[in-house]
């Protein structure tokens, strides 16, 4: 079986440059997960490394397929300086561990909630998983392995998360776009939802 993580890290480096920090987290019953930090101009990006080591499997399946199934890593982009966003490392690792721990298949349009602020003082406790391909291209693997997708995470306030549950991910993204919401602002307020 091919070790996909060196290929994943190479793809992250080619797209985002050299990481200036990395942290490792291991949860009971899971593989080691890392979070890499990349600085690019006035944006800091946090990318998980380790989630794609195994394919995500349907939680209703009787047996998990050790080869087939979607693979992904998570990428969060914020503007540094106004908040201690480096404290997002553990919450990001928790989200990246959710396929192994909870049997969740993380896909675009889904919400992931950590139940606490993403970093100290953050108005966000959850994220919306966005469509991949814009920032980091998918990493194709040899058959029969699925490609690794790099899924952007968009922080949501509790009100936005509740509104998204009723109206859907597309409607929330349109609301953000219409209002010119800066999704990289680590202390932004909720978008108007009335």
């Amino acid at each position: 079986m091919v070790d996909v993580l060196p290929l994943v890290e190479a793809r992250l480096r080619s797209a985002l440059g050299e990481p200036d920090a990395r942290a490792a987290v291991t949860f009971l019953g899971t593989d080691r997960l890392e979070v890499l930090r990349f600085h690019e101009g006035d944006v800091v990006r946090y990318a998980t490394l380790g989630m794609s080591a195994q394919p995500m499997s349907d939680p209703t399946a009787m047996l998990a397929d050790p080869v087939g199934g979607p693979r992904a890593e998570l990428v969060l982009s914020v503007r540094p300086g106004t908040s201690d966003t480096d404290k997002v490392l553990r919450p990001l690792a928790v989200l990246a561990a959710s396929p192994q721990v909870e049997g969740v298949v993380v896909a675009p349009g889904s919400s992931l909630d950590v139940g606490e602020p993403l970093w100290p003082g953050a108005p966000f406790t959850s994220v919306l998983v966005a469509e991949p391909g814009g920032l980091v291209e998918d990493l194709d693997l040899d058959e029969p392995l699925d490609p690794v997708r790099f899924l952007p995470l968009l922080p949501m306030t509790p009100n936005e998360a509740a509104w998204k549950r009723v109206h859907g991910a597309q409607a929330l993204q349109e609301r953000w776009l219409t209002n010119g919401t800066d999704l990289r602002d680590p202390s932004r307020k909720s978008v108007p939802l009335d």
Side-chain angles (χ1 to χ4, degrees):
M1 184 59 69
V2 64
D3 183 4
V4 303
L5 296 185
L7 303 173
V8 169
E9 184 168 355
R11 176 58 54 95
L12 286 168
R13 287 172 185 265
S14 69
L16 304 176
E18 287 298 311
D20 65 354
R22 65 193 309 145
V25 180
T26 305
F27 301 104
L28 187 63
T30 68
D31 295 331
R32 172 185 158 118
L33 293 163
E34 290 188 86
V35 179
L36 310 181
R37 184 181 69 189
F38 301 86
H39 276 280
E40 182 182 327
D42 65 343
V43 175
V44 62
R45 302 186 198 284
Y46 301 93
T48 62
L49 179 62
M51 182 177 168
S52 62
Q54 298 177 29
M56 294 180 276
S57 57
D58 181 347
T60 63
M62 292 296 282
L63 230 54
D65 185 339
V67 177
R71 294 173 187 263
E73 296 291 352
L74 308 175
V75 181
L76 174 70
S77 301
V78 293
R79 283 200 328 271
T82 58
S83 299
D84 189 5
T85 56
D86 280 350
K87 299 282 196 236
V88 77
L89 301 177
R90 184 166 180 79
L92 265 183
V94 168
L95 296 178
S98 61
Q100 286 184 55
V101 175
E102 301 171 23
V104 175
V105 175
V106 178
S110 59
S111 303
L112 301 173
D113 195 319
V114 293
E116 62 184 34
L118 292 176
W119 52 82
F124 319 107
T125 60
S126 62
V127 293
L128 174 65
V129 181
E131 290 291 333
L135 185 61
V136 183
E137 288 183 32
D138 291 354
L139 172 64
D140 290 324
L141 301 173
D142 293 337
E143 292 288 339
L145 304 179
D146 286 20
V148 176
R149 302 171 82 195
F150 298 88
L151 303 172
L153 301 180
L154 308 175
M156 293 188 292
T157 66
N159 286 344
E160 290 169 339
W163 197 84
K164 181 254 176 196
R165 280 192 293 277
V166 174
H167 300 281
Q170 186 63 40
L172 178 58
Q173 289 179 302
E174 288 170 9
R175 182 65 58 114
W176 283 335
L177 192 60
T178 301
N179 285 276
T181 305
D182 180 3
L183 297 173
R184 294 178 180 166
D185 181 349
S187 55
R188 72 172 178 83
K189 303 290 183 234
S190 183
V191 71
L193 298 170
D194 43 336

